[in-house]
Amino acid sequence: MNELDHKPISNMQRAIGELRELIFSGQLSPGSDHLESELAERLGMSRTPVREAALILESQGLLELRPRKGVRILPVSATDMREIYDVLTELESLAAERAAASGYSAHELNQLALSIQDMENAVAAEDREAWAQADDAFHRELVRLGGNTRIQNIVGMMSDQVRRARAVTLFIRPMPTQSNEDHRGVFDAIRDGQPADARRIHRAHREQARNMIVGLLEKHHLQLL
């Protein structure tokens, strides 16, 4: 096996992963301020990889680096989420259209199909967290199948904000049975080579998700983790 397969994870990579988990779990709460030295001690490493990780997470919109004041964990408002969903709706709908026009084989669509099955199994078991993981997998694979690396990069930067919104709404939203039906419709359009239908169905799906999540954030005055 190639020696690169055993390359150890760097402290910066570990800091990115652990800081993201602290943000998504709410242990680093929205609007809170933290010194780099505090975070370094919490993670058991030096300040250098923590600062490097913070620069990456700042570019992803999760925190803000402030001179001589350390790190501030950024909240995300309902208005922010509406704007993020507007961008995701356009880009993912284009990816769905491009995927449907690509003539993929059943084998090449296997991962997309598996993610839908995992979502349906999760809903049947009323396991919302498993559904959320499968939903993430569906959207990642859909964008990959669209074949545009710039779309992948932009969607990747914004997907964390969607995860934050879903984390606080997952257990107060209705069971996502309609979402699963939408995903199945997008898959069928891609499989059958129907670009216009793939784009239309996915756009409607993302618009409905935006309205539901933003509505819950506004109704319950929720802060995003």
Side-chain angles (χ1 to χ4, degrees), residues 100-114:
S102 297
Y104 287 118
S105 67
H107 175 72
E108 290 169 318
L109 295 176
N110 187 54
Q111 288 301 315
L112 200 64
L114 286 175

Side-chain angles (χ1 to χ4, degrees), residues 28-159:
L28 296 180
S29 58
S32 62
D33 296 298
H34 307 273
L35 295 174
E36 290 177 16
S37 57
E38 168 205 338
L39 295 175
E41 182 177 356
R42 187 168 188 166
L43 300 182
M45 60 181 68
S46 69
R47 289 175 59 183
T48 298
V50 170
R51 181 166 183 79
E52 292 172 343
L55 286 168
I56 298 296
L57 297 179
E58 183 177 43
S59 72
Q60 297 174 353
L62 297 181
L63 53 80
E64 175 187 19
L65 275 170
R66 301 191 294 172
R68 298 180 297 280
K69 292 185 179 180
V71 166
R72 180 174 183 265
I73 308 303
L74 292 177
V76 181
S77 69
T79 298
D80 292 330
M81 284 309 307
R82 186 177 289 107
E83 292 179 355
I84 288 167
Y85 262 98
D86 284 347
V87 175
L88 287 178
T89 296
E90 293 299 327
L91 295 181
E92 289 190 357
S93 297
L94 175 58
E97 180 182 43
R98 288 172 58 91
S102 297
Y104 287 118
S105 67
H107 175 72
E108 290 169 318
L109 295 176
N110 187 54
Q111 288 301 315
L112 200 64
L114 286 175
S115 67
I116 294 172
Q117 187 60 56
D118 288 342
M119 281 186 280
E120 291 175 347
N121 291 342
V123 166
E126 297 188 1
D127 187 338
R128 292 172 183 253
E129 291 179 344
W131 175 84
Q133 292 175 1
D135 181 65
D136 281 341
F138 174 88
H139 287 275
R140 283 196 306 271
E141 182 65 2
L142 174 68
V143 171
R144 188 190 72 81
L145 290 170
N148 185 312
T149 56
R150 286 171 175 79
I151 289 178
Q152 291 181 58
N153 291 337
I154 296 170
V155 170
M157 284 193 303
M158 294 185 166
S159 60

Side-chain angles (χ1 to χ4, degrees), residues 177-204:
T177 52
Q178 180 59 52
S179 181
N180 285 0
E181 292 177 13
D182 294 343
H183 289 138
R184 178 66 68 182
V186 173
F187 174 84
D188 289 345
I190 292 173
R191 180 198 59 202
D192 297 340
Q194 300 293 331
D197 286 347
R199 184 178 189 122
R200 173 181 56 79
I201 296 169
H202 192 76
R203 175 185 290 277

